mmCIF file with all atom_site columns, all heavy atoms in Angstrom:
data_model
loop_
_atom_site.group_PDB
_atom_site.id
_atom_site.type_symbol
_atom_site.label_atom_id
_atom_site.label_alt_id
_atom_site.label_comp_id
_atom_site.label_asym_id
_atom_site.label_entity_id
_atom_site.label_seq_id
_atom_site.pdbx_PDB_ins_code
_atom_site.Cartn_x
_atom_site.Cartn_y
_atom_site.Cartn_z
_atom_site.occupancy
_atom_site.B_iso_or_equiv
_atom_site.pdbx_formal_charge
_atom_site.auth_seq_id
_atom_site.auth_comp_id
_atom_site.auth_asym_id
_atom_site.auth_atom_id
_atom_site.pdbx_PDB_model_num
ATOM 1   N N   . PRO P 1 281 ? -21.985 -61.251 -131.031 1.00 87.00 ? 281 PRO P N   1
ATOM 2   C CA  . PRO P 1 281 ? -23.035 -61.536 -132.016 1.00 87.00 ? 281 PRO P CA  1
ATOM 3   C C   . PRO P 1 281 ? -22.859 -62.880 -132.710 1.00 87.00 ? 281 PRO P C   1
ATOM 4   O O   . PRO P 1 281 ? -21.740 -63.308 -132.999 1.00 87.00 ? 281 PRO P O   1
ATOM 5   C CB  . PRO P 1 281 ? -22.892 -60.384 -133.018 1.00 87.00 ? 281 PRO P CB  1
ATOM 6   C CG  . PRO P 1 281 ? -22.192 -59.308 -132.269 1.00 87.00 ? 281 PRO P CG  1
ATOM 7   C CD  . PRO P 1 281 ? -21.291 -59.992 -131.297 1.00 87.00 ? 281 PRO P CD  1
ATOM 8   N N   . SER P 1 282 ? -23.992 -63.544 -132.945 1.00 85.00 ? 282 SER P N   1
ATOM 9   C CA  . SER P 1 282 ? -23.991 -64.771 -133.737 1.00 85.00 ? 282 SER P CA  1
ATOM 10  C C   . SER P 1 282 ? -24.291 -64.353 -135.177 1.00 85.00 ? 282 SER P C   1
ATOM 11  O O   . SER P 1 282 ? -25.442 -64.112 -135.537 1.00 85.00 ? 282 SER P O   1
ATOM 12  C CB  . SER P 1 282 ? -25.051 -65.732 -133.207 1.00 85.00 ? 282 SER P CB  1
ATOM 13  O OG  . SER P 1 282 ? -25.157 -66.870 -134.030 1.00 85.00 ? 282 SER P OG  1
ATOM 14  N N   . ALA P 1 283 ? -23.251 -64.236 -135.972 1.00 89.00 ? 283 ALA P N   1
ATOM 15  C CA  . ALA P 1 283 ? -23.381 -63.640 -137.309 1.00 89.00 ? 283 ALA P CA  1
ATOM 16  C C   . ALA P 1 283 ? -23.219 -64.676 -138.409 1.00 89.00 ? 283 ALA P C   1
ATOM 17  O O   . ALA P 1 283 ? -22.555 -65.695 -138.251 1.00 89.00 ? 283 ALA P O   1
ATOM 18  C CB  . ALA P 1 283 ? -22.351 -62.528 -137.483 1.00 89.00 ? 283 ALA P CB  1
ATOM 19  N N   . SER P 1 284 ? -23.854 -64.379 -139.539 1.00 91.00 ? 284 SER P N   1
ATOM 20  C CA  . SER P 1 284 ? -23.684 -65.190 -140.754 1.00 91.00 ? 284 SER P CA  1
ATOM 21  C C   . SER P 1 284 ? -23.618 -64.231 -141.945 1.00 91.00 ? 284 SER P C   1
ATOM 22  O O   . SER P 1 284 ? -24.113 -63.099 -141.875 1.00 91.00 ? 284 SER P O   1
ATOM 23  C CB  . SER P 1 284 ? -24.846 -66.175 -140.925 1.00 91.00 ? 284 SER P CB  1
ATOM 24  O OG  . SER P 1 284 ? -26.077 -65.476 -141.060 1.00 91.00 ? 284 SER P OG  1
ATOM 25  N N   . ILE P 1 285 ? -22.995 -64.689 -143.034 1.00 91.00 ? 285 ILE P N   1
ATOM 26  C CA  . ILE P 1 285 ? -22.853 -63.844 -144.210 1.00 91.00 ? 285 ILE P CA  1
ATOM 27  C C   . ILE P 1 285 ? -23.246 -64.653 -145.442 1.00 91.00 ? 285 ILE P C   1
ATOM 28  O O   . ILE P 1 285 ? -23.006 -65.868 -145.509 1.00 91.00 ? 285 ILE P O   1
ATOM 29  C CB  . ILE P 1 285 ? -21.412 -63.297 -144.330 1.00 91.00 ? 285 ILE P CB  1
ATOM 30  C CG1 . ILE P 1 285 ? -21.334 -62.173 -145.387 1.00 91.00 ? 285 ILE P CG1 1
ATOM 31  C CG2 . ILE P 1 285 ? -20.419 -64.405 -144.618 1.00 91.00 ? 285 ILE P CG2 1
ATOM 32  C CD1 . ILE P 1 285 ? -20.017 -61.428 -145.347 1.00 91.00 ? 285 ILE P CD1 1
ATOM 33  N N   . ALA P 1 286 ? -23.884 -63.985 -146.369 1.00 91.00 ? 286 ALA P N   1
ATOM 34  C CA  . ALA P 1 286 ? -24.336 -64.691 -147.579 1.00 91.00 ? 286 ALA P CA  1
ATOM 35  C C   . ALA P 1 286 ? -24.310 -63.741 -148.770 1.00 91.00 ? 286 ALA P C   1
ATOM 36  O O   . ALA P 1 286 ? -24.457 -62.521 -148.625 1.00 91.00 ? 286 ALA P O   1
ATOM 37  C CB  . ALA P 1 286 ? -25.757 -65.223 -147.359 1.00 91.00 ? 286 ALA P CB  1
ATOM 38  N N   . VAL P 1 287 ? -24.097 -64.332 -149.952 1.00 89.00 ? 287 VAL P N   1
ATOM 39  C CA  . VAL P 1 287 ? -24.162 -63.589 -151.211 1.00 89.00 ? 287 VAL P CA  1
ATOM 40  C C   . VAL P 1 287 ? -24.985 -64.427 -152.175 1.00 89.00 ? 287 VAL P C   1
ATOM 41  O O   . VAL P 1 287 ? -24.937 -65.668 -152.141 1.00 89.00 ? 287 VAL P O   1
ATOM 42  C CB  . VAL P 1 287 ? -22.743 -63.304 -151.756 1.00 89.00 ? 287 VAL P CB  1
ATOM 43  C CG1 . VAL P 1 287 ? -21.997 -64.584 -152.069 1.00 89.00 ? 287 VAL P CG1 1
ATOM 44  C CG2 . VAL P 1 287 ? -22.792 -62.385 -152.973 1.00 89.00 ? 287 VAL P CG2 1
ATOM 45  N N   . LEU P 1 288 ? -25.798 -63.776 -153.001 1.00 82.00 ? 288 LEU P N   1
ATOM 46  C CA  . LEU P 1 288 ? -26.691 -64.508 -153.892 1.00 82.00 ? 288 LEU P CA  1
ATOM 47  C C   . LEU P 1 288 ? -25.912 -65.459 -154.805 1.00 82.00 ? 288 LEU P C   1
ATOM 48  O O   . LEU P 1 288 ? -26.325 -66.599 -155.037 1.00 82.00 ? 288 LEU P O   1
ATOM 49  C CB  . LEU P 1 288 ? -27.518 -63.528 -154.732 1.00 82.00 ? 288 LEU P CB  1
ATOM 50  C CG  . LEU P 1 288 ? -28.599 -64.148 -155.620 1.00 82.00 ? 288 LEU P CG  1
ATOM 51  C CD1 . LEU P 1 288 ? -29.620 -64.903 -154.765 1.00 82.00 ? 288 LEU P CD1 1
ATOM 52  C CD2 . LEU P 1 288 ? -29.292 -63.087 -156.470 1.00 82.00 ? 288 LEU P CD2 1
ATOM 53  N N   . SER P 1 289 ? -24.778 -64.992 -155.304 1.00 85.00 ? 289 SER P N   1
ATOM 54  C CA  . SER P 1 289 ? -23.929 -65.846 -156.138 1.00 85.00 ? 289 SER P CA  1
ATOM 55  C C   . SER P 1 289 ? -22.480 -65.517 -155.847 1.00 85.00 ? 289 SER P C   1
ATOM 56  O O   . SER P 1 289 ? -22.114 -64.351 -155.720 1.00 85.00 ? 289 SER P O   1
ATOM 57  C CB  . SER P 1 289 ? -24.218 -65.616 -157.629 1.00 85.00 ? 289 SER P CB  1
ATOM 58  O OG  . SER P 1 289 ? -23.301 -66.355 -158.424 1.00 85.00 ? 289 SER P OG  1
ATOM 59  N N   . SER P 1 290 ? -21.660 -66.549 -155.713 1.00 87.00 ? 290 SER P N   1
ATOM 60  C CA  . SER P 1 290 ? -20.251 -66.324 -155.418 1.00 87.00 ? 290 SER P CA  1
ATOM 61  C C   . SER P 1 290 ? -19.460 -65.917 -156.658 1.00 87.00 ? 290 SER P C   1
ATOM 62  O O   . SER P 1 290 ? -18.279 -65.618 -156.567 1.00 87.00 ? 290 SER P O   1
ATOM 63  C CB  . SER P 1 290 ? -19.633 -67.593 -154.817 1.00 87.00 ? 290 SER P CB  1
ATOM 64  O OG  . SER P 1 290 ? -19.746 -68.672 -155.735 1.00 87.00 ? 290 SER P OG  1
ATOM 65  N N   . ARG P 1 291 ? -20.114 -65.922 -157.820 1.00 90.00 ? 291 ARG P N   1
ATOM 66  C CA  . ARG P 1 291 ? -19.466 -65.491 -159.065 1.00 90.00 ? 291 ARG P CA  1
ATOM 67  C C   . ARG P 1 291 ? -20.345 -64.422 -159.707 1.00 90.00 ? 291 ARG P C   1
ATOM 68  O O   . ARG P 1 291 ? -21.565 -64.564 -159.783 1.00 90.00 ? 291 ARG P O   1
ATOM 69  C CB  . ARG P 1 291 ? -19.266 -66.659 -160.030 1.00 90.00 ? 291 ARG P CB  1
ATOM 70  C CG  . ARG P 1 291 ? -18.391 -67.779 -159.441 1.00 90.00 ? 291 ARG P CG  1
ATOM 71  C CD  . ARG P 1 291 ? -18.279 -68.948 -160.410 1.00 90.00 ? 291 ARG P CD  1
ATOM 72  N NE  . ARG P 1 291 ? -17.548 -68.582 -161.614 1.00 90.00 ? 291 ARG P NE  1
ATOM 73  C CZ  . ARG P 1 291 ? -16.232 -68.643 -161.726 1.00 90.00 ? 291 ARG P CZ  1
ATOM 74  N NH1 . ARG P 1 291 ? -15.503 -69.043 -160.686 1.00 90.00 ? 291 ARG P NH1 1
ATOM 75  N NH2 . ARG P 1 291 ? -15.636 -68.332 -162.847 1.00 90.00 ? 291 ARG P NH2 1
ATOM 76  N N   . ALA P 1 292 ? -19.715 -63.319 -160.135 1.00 91.00 ? 292 ALA P N   1
ATOM 77  C CA  . ALA P 1 292 ? -20.451 -62.202 -160.735 1.00 91.00 ? 292 ALA P CA  1
ATOM 78  C C   . ALA P 1 292 ? -19.762 -61.749 -162.005 1.00 91.00 ? 292 ALA P C   1
ATOM 79  O O   . ALA P 1 292 ? -18.530 -61.831 -162.135 1.00 91.00 ? 292 ALA P O   1
ATOM 80  C CB  . ALA P 1 292 ? -20.548 -61.057 -159.745 1.00 91.00 ? 292 ALA P CB  1
ATOM 81  N N   . GLY P 1 293 ? -20.577 -61.290 -162.940 1.00 90.00 ? 293 GLY P N   1
ATOM 82  C CA  . GLY P 1 293 ? -20.022 -60.787 -164.196 1.00 90.00 ? 293 GLY P CA  1
ATOM 83  C C   . GLY P 1 293 ? -19.798 -59.285 -164.115 1.00 90.00 ? 293 GLY P C   1
ATOM 84  O O   . GLY P 1 293 ? -20.279 -58.599 -163.207 1.00 90.00 ? 293 GLY P O   1
ATOM 85  N N   . VAL P 1 294 ? -19.055 -58.768 -165.083 1.00 90.00 ? 294 VAL P N   1
ATOM 86  C CA  . VAL P 1 294 ? -18.793 -57.336 -165.151 1.00 90.00 ? 294 VAL P CA  1
ATOM 87  C C   . VAL P 1 294 ? -20.129 -56.601 -165.294 1.00 90.00 ? 294 VAL P C   1
ATOM 88  O O   . VAL P 1 294 ? -21.013 -57.019 -166.049 1.00 90.00 ? 294 VAL P O   1
ATOM 89  C CB  . VAL P 1 294 ? -17.863 -57.011 -166.341 1.00 90.00 ? 294 VAL P CB  1
ATOM 90  C CG1 . VAL P 1 294 ? -17.686 -55.500 -166.494 1.00 90.00 ? 294 VAL P CG1 1
ATOM 91  C CG2 . VAL P 1 294 ? -16.504 -57.691 -166.159 1.00 90.00 ? 294 VAL P CG2 1
ATOM 92  N N   . SER P 1 295 ? -20.260 -55.500 -164.527 1.00 89.00 ? 295 SER P N   1
ATOM 93  C CA  . SER P 1 295 ? -21.462 -54.645 -164.497 1.00 89.00 ? 295 SER P CA  1
ATOM 94  C C   . SER P 1 295 ? -22.637 -55.271 -163.744 1.00 89.00 ? 295 SER P C   1
ATOM 95  O O   . SER P 1 295 ? -23.715 -54.662 -163.677 1.00 89.00 ? 295 SER P O   1
ATOM 96  C CB  . SER P 1 295 ? -21.919 -54.262 -165.912 1.00 89.00 ? 295 SER P CB  1
ATOM 97  O OG  . SER P 1 295 ? -20.903 -53.535 -166.580 1.00 89.00 ? 295 SER P OG  1
ATOM 98  N N   . ASP P 1 296 ? -22.431 -56.451 -163.141 1.00 92.00 ? 296 ASP P N   1
ATOM 99  C CA  . ASP P 1 296 ? -23.512 -57.036 -162.335 1.00 92.00 ? 296 ASP P CA  1
ATOM 100 C C   . ASP P 1 296 ? -23.685 -56.268 -161.019 1.00 92.00 ? 296 ASP P C   1
ATOM 101 O O   . ASP P 1 296 ? -22.767 -55.587 -160.540 1.00 92.00 ? 296 ASP P O   1
ATOM 102 C CB  . ASP P 1 296 ? -23.195 -58.498 -162.006 1.00 92.00 ? 296 ASP P CB  1
ATOM 103 C CG  . ASP P 1 296 ? -23.461 -59.421 -163.181 1.00 92.00 ? 296 ASP P CG  1
ATOM 104 O OD1 . ASP P 1 296 ? -23.996 -58.939 -164.183 1.00 92.00 ? 296 ASP P OD1 1
ATOM 105 O OD2 . ASP P 1 296 ? -23.118 -60.622 -163.060 1.00 92.00 ? 296 ASP P OD2 1
ATOM 106 N N   . ARG P 1 297 ? -24.885 -56.391 -160.435 1.00 91.00 ? 297 ARG P N   1
ATOM 107 C CA  . ARG P 1 297 ? -25.134 -55.874 -159.088 1.00 91.00 ? 297 ARG P CA  1
ATOM 108 C C   . ARG P 1 297 ? -24.917 -57.017 -158.099 1.00 91.00 ? 297 ARG P C   1
ATOM 109 O O   . ARG P 1 297 ? -25.493 -58.097 -158.255 1.00 91.00 ? 297 ARG P O   1
ATOM 110 C CB  . ARG P 1 297 ? -26.559 -55.340 -158.950 1.00 91.00 ? 297 ARG P CB  1
ATOM 111 C CG  . ARG P 1 297 ? -26.826 -54.121 -159.813 1.00 91.00 ? 297 ARG P CG  1
ATOM 112 C CD  . ARG P 1 297 ? -28.245 -53.620 -159.619 1.00 91.00 ? 297 ARG P CD  1
ATOM 113 N NE  . ARG P 1 297 ? -28.499 -53.301 -158.203 1.00 91.00 ? 297 ARG P NE  1
ATOM 114 C CZ  . ARG P 1 297 ? -29.614 -52.707 -157.808 1.00 91.00 ? 297 ARG P CZ  1
ATOM 115 N NH1 . ARG P 1 297 ? -30.582 -52.396 -158.670 1.00 91.00 ? 297 ARG P NH1 1
ATOM 116 N NH2 . ARG P 1 297 ? -29.800 -52.444 -156.532 1.00 91.00 ? 297 ARG P NH2 1
ATOM 117 N N   . VAL P 1 298 ? -24.116 -56.749 -157.080 1.00 93.00 ? 298 VAL P N   1
ATOM 118 C CA  . VAL P 1 298 ? -23.781 -57.795 -156.108 1.00 93.00 ? 298 VAL P CA  1
ATOM 119 C C   . VAL P 1 298 ? -24.254 -57.354 -154.718 1.00 93.00 ? 298 VAL P C   1
ATOM 120 O O   . VAL P 1 298 ? -23.898 -56.277 -154.246 1.00 93.00 ? 298 VAL P O   1
ATOM 121 C CB  . VAL P 1 298 ? -22.272 -58.083 -156.091 1.00 93.00 ? 298 VAL P CB  1
ATOM 122 C CG1 . VAL P 1 298 ? -21.931 -59.086 -154.982 1.00 93.00 ? 298 VAL P CG1 1
ATOM 123 C CG2 . VAL P 1 298 ? -21.817 -58.588 -157.451 1.00 93.00 ? 298 VAL P CG2 1
ATOM 124 N N   . HIS P 1 299 ? -25.086 -58.200 -154.095 1.00 93.00 ? 299 HIS P N   1
ATOM 125 C CA  . HIS P 1 299 ? -25.553 -57.966 -152.727 1.00 93.00 ? 299 HIS P CA  1
ATOM 126 C C   . HIS P 1 299 ? -24.852 -58.944 -151.781 1.00 93.00 ? 299 HIS P C   1
ATOM 127 O O   . HIS P 1 299 ? -24.920 -60.158 -151.991 1.00 93.00 ? 299 HIS P O   1
ATOM 128 C CB  . HIS P 1 299 ? -27.074 -58.191 -152.610 1.00 93.00 ? 299 HIS P CB  1
ATOM 129 C CG  . HIS P 1 299 ? -27.895 -57.144 -153.295 1.00 93.00 ? 299 HIS P CG  1
ATOM 130 N ND1 . HIS P 1 299 ? -28.161 -57.174 -154.642 1.00 93.00 ? 299 HIS P ND1 1
ATOM 131 C CD2 . HIS P 1 299 ? -28.508 -56.040 -152.792 1.00 93.00 ? 299 HIS P CD2 1
ATOM 132 C CE1 . HIS P 1 299 ? -28.925 -56.147 -154.956 1.00 93.00 ? 299 HIS P CE1 1
ATOM 133 N NE2 . HIS P 1 299 ? -29.151 -55.441 -153.857 1.00 93.00 ? 299 HIS P NE2 1
ATOM 134 N N   . VAL P 1 300 ? -24.218 -58.395 -150.740 1.00 95.00 ? 300 VAL P N   1
ATOM 135 C CA  . VAL P 1 300 ? -23.639 -59.232 -149.694 1.00 95.00 ? 300 VAL P CA  1
ATOM 136 C C   . VAL P 1 300 ? -24.391 -58.905 -148.395 1.00 95.00 ? 300 VAL P C   1
ATOM 137 O O   . VAL P 1 300 ? -24.451 -57.738 -147.987 1.00 95.00 ? 300 VAL P O   1
ATOM 138 C CB  . VAL P 1 300 ? -22.136 -58.974 -149.514 1.00 95.00 ? 300 VAL P CB  1
ATOM 139 C CG1 . VAL P 1 300 ? -21.553 -59.968 -148.505 1.00 95.00 ? 300 VAL P CG1 1
ATOM 140 C CG2 . VAL P 1 300 ? -21.412 -59.072 -150.848 1.00 95.00 ? 300 VAL P CG2 1
#
Side-chain angles (χ1 to χ4, degrees):
S282 174
S284 61
I285 192 169
V287 62
L288 186 61
S289 174
S290 60
R291 300 177 66 87
V294 175
S295 299
D296 282 354
R297 294 181 57 172
V298 175
H299 290 83
V300 185

